[in-house]
Amino acid sequence: MNTCWRKSESGMLNGGSSETKQLETDILIAGAGLAALRAAVEAQRAGQRVTMITKGIAGRAGSSAITSAGFTAAIREADPTDSPELHYADTIRGGGDVNDRTLARIFCHEAPDRFWEMVEWGVEFDRDPDTGKYVQFKSGDHSKARVAVCATHKGTGMTLPLKQVATSVEYLDRVMALDLMFDGDGVSGIVGLDTQDLELVVIRARAVILGTGGIGQLFPVTSNPNDVTGDGLALAYRAGAILRDLEFVQFYPWRLISHVRSRMPVQPSSFAAGAILRNATGDRFMLGVDPERKEATTRDFAARGIYTEIVEGRGIEGGVALDLSEIPVETFNRLNPRVAKFFEQKGLDLTREQLILAPEGHYHMGGLRVDEHARSSLPHLYAVGEVAAGIHGGNRLDSNEIPSGQVFGRRGGIAASASAADRPAPRIDTDRVRYWQARLADMQRDAATPLDVKEIKNAVRDAMWRSVGIIRHGRTIEQGVDEADELAARLAAGRPADAGDLPEYFEAENMALVASLVTRAANLRTESRSAHYREDYPVRNDDEWLANIDVCQNRATDTPQLEKRPVKVEEPLNR
């Protein structure tokens, strides 16, 4: 869609010193993926003017576009013995009992409706060739076979159909959100950066929805694309929003690292079907990690098991071996069509090649604290998808993210639209705009120290891996806090050496800030639970830590403030 920008006089606002584009809308969504698109669809249905800003291209950027596209739901047509309450019980147990009970129950009860909605919109899921019924695969962390998979096994098989539904949305690609604006009623829009011409973009909005994804690029090896740098968490924190569960980071255990150059995951359903993991001595080590579920365990157990073999010298070329002797090759190929196609194209026999797997940074359970309508702690600010916390607790189950993003994307779109309909026209936050105009002008001067932004990004990644990787210790976590703060200070005193690196510079700022917050939360939680495992506190402690950690900015001291809040064990279902 063509955008008619309105520029302020001389390209500036009230004496600023940088070119500034202006736009006004009702609902402003920052994000590119499935949750953001679902919110856009609902706001469009409500008759709102909807604008979506995306660092890349909506529907093709972010983690949603490259996911393997699994969708969990208790679909009675597929399995009459399954139910939303069974799905809910699995989700709470898998999340280490620190999930928000209200959010988790809503998600599990509404997921089936969101599945059929996606079918109606043209998303194709795998079907049984004989019966024509939708297939739901078994995964070790679900008690029932409830993982439906997009027929293309690619996220774009979902994102692009949803984008086709959101026909009246104004898409502003290549725009990075930098800051939230406020007026007397609350959040009133976003100050962004056009990453192509490096000009400021000021968008007023009656409500803002964040769907900016997770923090995968804070780790050196990740499933997440380059644009997933924790931006939403950083700008929400600076604006005063409350964040939750930041210490819980999921590592996907089963990335294929042999034969391939690009990311290629082996699906968790493979292990429920019989695939085995072995170390360098041929031992089936997962028998000692989870004797009951073995390889078909949750991702936190599997990642720790594999990582332990590697660091204790029993690994194979940086990973562990995938043994397919107990699973029919046709079954493996059915569950992993991308892997099967790759090996077929290379003329390689899967059953004869040594396949090596290793963990990677994957998903962040932490995010903005939200209620059942995706409302954050700030008026007129909403969060959906991976940038929102609470649903998954300490560990997300296989394929629970896409349906939860659809459930709360819809709810967030409805709530934001109702709020926007009753709100007067938002006002520009001239203080924030002037601040960013001045910052961009300062970047063009030589007073600040020129920085190698890519080097700082890599330093953040190294610090995060050492301090809050798969296995943690208080000593290294504290070092991570110090390193993150030092990197943030370097960025604050410098500027990008090359003007074209300005977007990456702001990403690096966000990465360093979020690294500081994640490490602080990990340091506070003195126990092991779900994806948070500490060698110095290896036992789960429900007496002290059946709780969430909330993080917000202390405005008086400009430092993070952390607070432990007991989990509310039972919450009513609000539908």
Side-chain angles (χ1 to χ4, degrees):
M1 180 178 293
N2 293 327
T3 302
C4 295
W5 293 108
R6 179 173 64 83
K7 286 196 177 183
S8 51
E9 293 183 9
S10 302
M12 297 171 283
L13 285 177
N14 300 320
S17 55
S18 175
E19 290 287 312
T20 305
K21 303 172 182 178
Q22 295 183 57
L23 190 70
E24 183 178 348
T25 190
D26 295 325
I27 308 294
L28 175 57
I29 302 172
L34 287 166
L37 287 165
R38 186 60 187 83
V41 168
E42 207 61 44
Q44 172 188 276
R45 283 177 168 177
Q48 301 294 312
R49 294 175 298 167
V50 184
T51 302
M52 181 180 289
I53 61 172
T54 301
K55 284 200 293 184
I57 298 174
R60 295 190 179 277
S63 295
S64 290
I66 63 171
T67 179
S68 298
F71 190 112
T72 56
I75 302 172
R76 291 189 181 277
E77 291 84 346
D79 182 359
T81 68
D82 199 5
S83 72
E85 280 300 302
L86 285 175
H87 189 186
Y88 168 74
D90 288 348
T91 299
I92 299 299
R93 181 172 56 253
D97 295 304
V98 292
N99 318 60
D100 183 304
R101 301 301 202 271
T102 298
L103 302 186
R105 181 168 272 125
I106 288 171
F107 151 53
C108 295
H109 278 261
E110 295 187 4
D113 289 342
R114 303 288 75 78
F115 172 82
W116 293 117
E117 191 174 56
M118 294 189 91
V119 170
E120 179 184 344
W121 289 339
V123 175
E124 296 182 9
F125 290 93
D126 273 346
R127 294 174 182 260
D128 185 297
D130 297 325
T131 66
K133 292 183 178 180
Y134 291 106
V135 177
Q136 288 189 285
F137 297 102
K138 185 76 169 67
S139 179
D141 44 10
H142 291 275
S143 61
K144 296 287 186 178
R146 61 170 70 100
V147 182
V149 180
C150 183
T152 64
H153 288 253
K154 293 181 181 179
T156 49
M158 294 180 172
T159 59
L160 298 182
L162 259 69
K163 189 175 180 181
Q164 289 298 313
V165 177
T167 53
S168 67
V169 173
E170 185 167 19
Y171 296 100
L172 304 182
D173 295 330
R174 313 295 184 188
V175 174
M176 177 182 181
L178 297 176
D179 204 353
L180 293 171
M181 296 194 298
F182 290 83
D183 62 13
D185 291 321
V187 172
S188 63
I190 280 178
V191 179
L193 178 73
D194 185 319
T195 61
Q196 292 181 299
D197 61 22
L198 304 183
E199 292 183 358
L200 286 180
V201 176
V202 176
I203 306 175
R204 288 184 288 165
R206 288 176 163 82
V208 173
I209 302 175
L210 298 180
T212 49
I215 64 170
Q217 282 296 321
L218 271 69
F219 292 90
V221 180
T222 177
S223 62
N224 294 190
N226 292 336
D227 54 349
V228 182
T229 52
D231 302 337
L233 294 181
L235 69 88
Y237 169 82
R238 294 190 190 103
I242 297 173
L243 311 181
R244 170 166 283 185
D245 294 338
L246 299 184
E247 67 273 28
F248 293 116
V249 181
Q250 182 178 92
F251 293 85
Y252 190 84
W254 310 292
R255 177 180 182 143
L256 185 63
I257 62 172
S258 58
H259 301 86
V260 300
R261 293 184 179 180
S262 60
R263 181 189 186 245
M264 194 168 293
V266 170
Q267 296 304 311
S269 51
S270 308
F271 302 98
I276 292 171
L277 298 175
R278 298 192 185 276
N279 62 19
T281 62
D283 291 336
R284 189 179 178 183
F285 59 90
M286 288 303 297
L287 293 175
V289 176
D290 189 338
E292 180 182 353
R293 295 176 295 187
K294 307 175 184 66
E295 285 84 2
T297 186
T298 50
R299 297 176 182 188
D300 49 342
F301 275 88
R304 283 198 299 275
I306 294 170
Y307 182 70
T308 298
E309 297 304 304
I310 296 169
V311 298
E312 293 186 358
R314 296 183 296 275
I316 305 170
E317 299 178 8
V320 297
L322 175 65
D323 178 354
L324 301 180
S325 61
E326 299 299 320
I327 177 175
V329 67
E330 298 81 8
T331 301
F332 182 84
N333 290 345
R334 167 96 166 127
L335 299 174
N336 299 275
R338 184 179 170 193
V339 177
K341 182 178 180 181
F342 174 83
F343 277 83
E344 182 183 1
Q345 290 175 339
K346 294 292 184 180
L348 300 173
D349 185 346
L350 269 171
T351 63
R352 295 179 179 273
E353 299 294 325
Q354 184 176 57
L355 307 178
I356 301 174
L357 308 183
E360 61 184 352
H362 185 56
Y363 185 87
H364 192 206
M365 279 67 71
L368 276 73
R369 193 183 77 186
V370 294
D371 69 5
E372 62 269 30
H373 301 291
R375 291 181 294 221
S376 78
S377 58
L378 299 179
H380 306 296
L381 178 66
Y382 301 77
V384 299
E386 191 173 349
V387 77
I391 302 166
H392 308 295
N395 179 55
R396 176 178 66 81
L397 298 191
D398 177 25
S399 299
N400 262 6
E401 169 54 23
I402 290 177
S404 64
Q406 292 301 289
V407 167
F408 288 97
R410 172 182 173 273
R411 282 176 161 256
I414 291 171
S417 297
S419 172
D422 295 333
R423 184 181 184 185
R427 297 190 298 276
I428 287 180
D429 187 339
T430 55
D431 289 341
R432 299 315 300 159
V433 176
R434 289 172 180 169
Y435 166 80
W436 284 101
Q437 288 175 330
R439 279 207 72 185
L440 261 63
D442 288 342
M443 293 290 179
Q444 300 170 13
R445 303 189 181 102
D446 294 329
T449 304
L451 300 171
D452 183 336
V453 178
K454 292 180 175 60
E455 181 271 326
I456 292 182
K457 281 186 167 184
N458 286 332
V460 171
R461 295 176 179 122
D462 291 342
M464 288 288 281
W465 179 246
R466 288 193 303 269
S467 60
V468 287
I470 297 171
I471 296 179
R472 307 168 175 183
H473 192 285
R475 179 178 61 256
T476 50
I477 294 173
E478 290 174 0
Q479 292 172 355
V481 173
D482 293 340
E483 289 182 69
D485 290 346
E486 289 170 5
L487 291 167
R490 281 182 61 191
L491 287 160
R495 62 175 175 82
D498 188 307
D501 288 338
L502 192 60
E504 279 206 88
Y505 171 86
F506 290 132
E507 286 182 336
E509 276 196 329
N510 293 338
M511 291 168 65
L513 171 59
V514 174
S516 175
L517 302 179
V518 170
T519 51
R520 280 177 160 81
N523 200 37
L524 180 60
R525 185 176 286 275
T526 51
E527 66 153 359
S528 289
R529 182 185 300 269
S530 299
H532 172 73
Y533 184 83
R534 288 184 57 157
E535 288 182 300
D536 49 343
Y537 294 95
V539 178
R540 171 169 157 167
N541 184 351
D542 282 352
D543 290 338
E544 294 292 329
W545 280 108
L546 194 61
N548 304 107
I549 297 174
D550 285 354
V551 182
C552 66
Q553 185 183 47
N554 186 322
R555 293 305 180 93
T557 61
D558 193 27
T559 57
Q561 178 176 310
L562 282 71
E563 183 175 358
K564 180 169 74 171
R565 291 184 174 273
V567 171
K568 295 180 180 179
V569 175
E570 289 298 332
E571 288 282 354
L573 178 62
N574 184 0
R575 299 186 68 187

